[in-house]
Amino acid sequence: MRKWHPDIPQWLVDVLTFLGNIFSVNFSGLLSSPDCMGESMNPLNKWLLALVMPWCLAFLFLLWYALARCFFVWTLEYDEDVVETILKSAVQVLLIGLYTTVVKMCFQIFDCTASGVLIMDPAFKCEDVLLYQIIGGIVFILWAVIPFSYIGIRLHRYKKNDTLEINMEESPRFRILYGWAISKYKLQGSNKCVEVAYLWEIFNAIVKMFMAAGSEMMYGQPMSNNRTMLHASTIAVSLFLHGIVRPYKDVSGTLVVMLFCVVNLL
């Protein structure tokens, strides 16, 4: 179970947990049920609907923030705690909780057989769904590539200026936007490799990306062998780098991750 920030109200945690459970469901499988959507909706439209749902949730957070700002203007009072709660909730749900789900949905549209037939809907060839693939690619870039690239660049600048730890201690906004990405990891240590530990959440996102790509785009034969090789090599690299860098502040955290990697390889 994910540990929410103690400043987030319990009622909001309950709501976000409920929403998280909903959005953790495989939408493609859920929406393929005739009882839910009817037989008139083809798999491509169901995929589009599943891809839109996370953006609807993002819009609700934006609307929540806008209403809070309007309320501050109307009352002539500014409550920093409310703003922090909204930002923390948005980061936890959108950037962390939904990351893998959205990435998987983006990759599904690229999964084709050796003969070029779309696995999601065998009635189409991959060349016939180019527009859908462009949409999936754009969503992937907007949701997965740009946010983590921006976070990595900003953290690198702070680290280069030796202000990473200072901002972590003194800036509430920094802790909301970037603190979640470095709070579990070492910022300094005797091991020189630890110097890159502050970027470990970016590395984790890349690992999830490769694992999702193998699962969603290498489903059928003969690609299943390539999927095994991709997953095995990704896990092996993760195991090796965890052993070299040992990024977690808690030593047991690194050991647990390495044990999971070993089990997955076996």
Side-chain angles (χ1 to χ4, degrees):
M1 181 178 294
R2 181 179 300 280
K3 292 183 179 180
W4 295 94
H5 196 282
D7 292 342
I8 299 180
Q10 185 58 44
W11 65 268
L12 183 57
V13 172
D14 295 336
V15 172
L16 294 176
T17 301
F18 173 74
L19 292 175
N21 291 334
I22 293 178
F23 282 92
S24 296
V25 174
N26 184 338
F27 284 111
S28 299
L30 175 64
L31 297 178
S32 63
S33 172
D35 296 333
C36 296
M37 299 303 300
E39 298 181 355
S40 60
M41 198 170 194
N42 63 47
L44 287 177
N45 289 335
K46 295 172 186 175
W47 175 82
L48 279 176
L49 180 60
L51 201 63
V52 166
M53 285 184 176
W55 291 98
C56 293
L57 185 58
F59 174 77
L60 291 178
F61 277 107
L62 182 61
L63 180 61
W64 184 15
Y65 178 79
L67 291 175
R69 298 290 297 185
C70 291
F71 178 78
F72 296 151
V73 172
W74 180 54
T75 59
L76 300 179
E77 295 181 1
Y78 181 77
D79 192 339
E80 184 69 25
D81 292 337
V82 173
V83 176
E84 289 186 12
T85 298
I86 297 173
L87 292 176
K88 288 174 184 175
S89 304
V91 169
Q92 288 284 335
V93 175
L94 302 178
L95 199 55
I96 302 176
L98 288 179
Y99 174 81
T100 304
T101 301
V102 174
V103 169
K104 284 184 176 180
M105 287 191 294
C106 291
F107 286 158
Q108 284 175 358
I109 196 64
F110 295 95
D111 192 17
C112 301
T113 63
S115 59
V117 176
L118 184 66
I119 291 182
M120 183 190 303
D121 188 351
F124 293 90
K125 289 185 172 294
C126 273
E127 59 189 29
D128 299 329
V129 294
L130 179 59
L131 179 60
Y132 291 90
Q133 291 177 339
I134 292 175
I135 293 174
I138 291 175
V139 172
F140 171 73
I141 292 173
L142 292 177
W143 199 285
V145 176
I146 293 180
F148 281 92
S149 298
Y150 177 78
I151 290 171
I153 292 172
R154 295 294 297 176
L155 290 178
H156 176 69
R157 289 179 179 176
Y158 284 119
K159 182 67 174 179
K160 187 177 180 180
N161 296 330
D162 293 326
T163 59
L164 200 60
E165 295 180 81
I166 296 175
N167 281 279
M168 190 65 177
E169 294 177 0
E170 299 179 358
S171 174
R173 188 161 294 245
F174 177 89
R175 289 194 295 269
I176 294 170
L177 297 178
Y178 310 109
W180 61 272
I182 62 175
S183 59
K184 298 181 294 185
Y185 308 107
K186 301 174 183 177
L187 299 182
Q188 58 184 356
S190 57
N191 182 4
K192 189 173 180 61
C193 295
V194 174
E195 294 296 322
V196 299
Y198 71 98
L199 294 174
W200 210 252
E201 200 65 41
I202 314 300
F203 171 73
N204 285 336
I206 295 174
V207 170
K208 293 176 184 177
M209 190 184 304
F210 276 101
M211 297 298 287
S215 298
E216 300 299 330
M217 295 194 296
M218 301 177 180
Y219 181 74
Q221 295 287 350
M223 296 300 291
S224 59
N225 293 329
N226 295 337
R227 180 183 68 228
T228 301
M229 293 179 60
L230 177 61
H231 282 174
S233 58
T234 301
I235 295 170
V237 170
S238 177
L239 174 62
F240 175 76
L241 291 180
H242 273 90
I244 295 296
V245 179
R246 298 191 294 274
Y248 292 92
K249 294 178 180 178
D250 185 0
V251 177
S252 61
T254 300
L255 293 176
V256 168
V257 172
M258 294 179 67
L259 286 174
F260 270 112
C261 289
V262 171
V263 170
N264 281 326
L265 283 175
L266 294 177

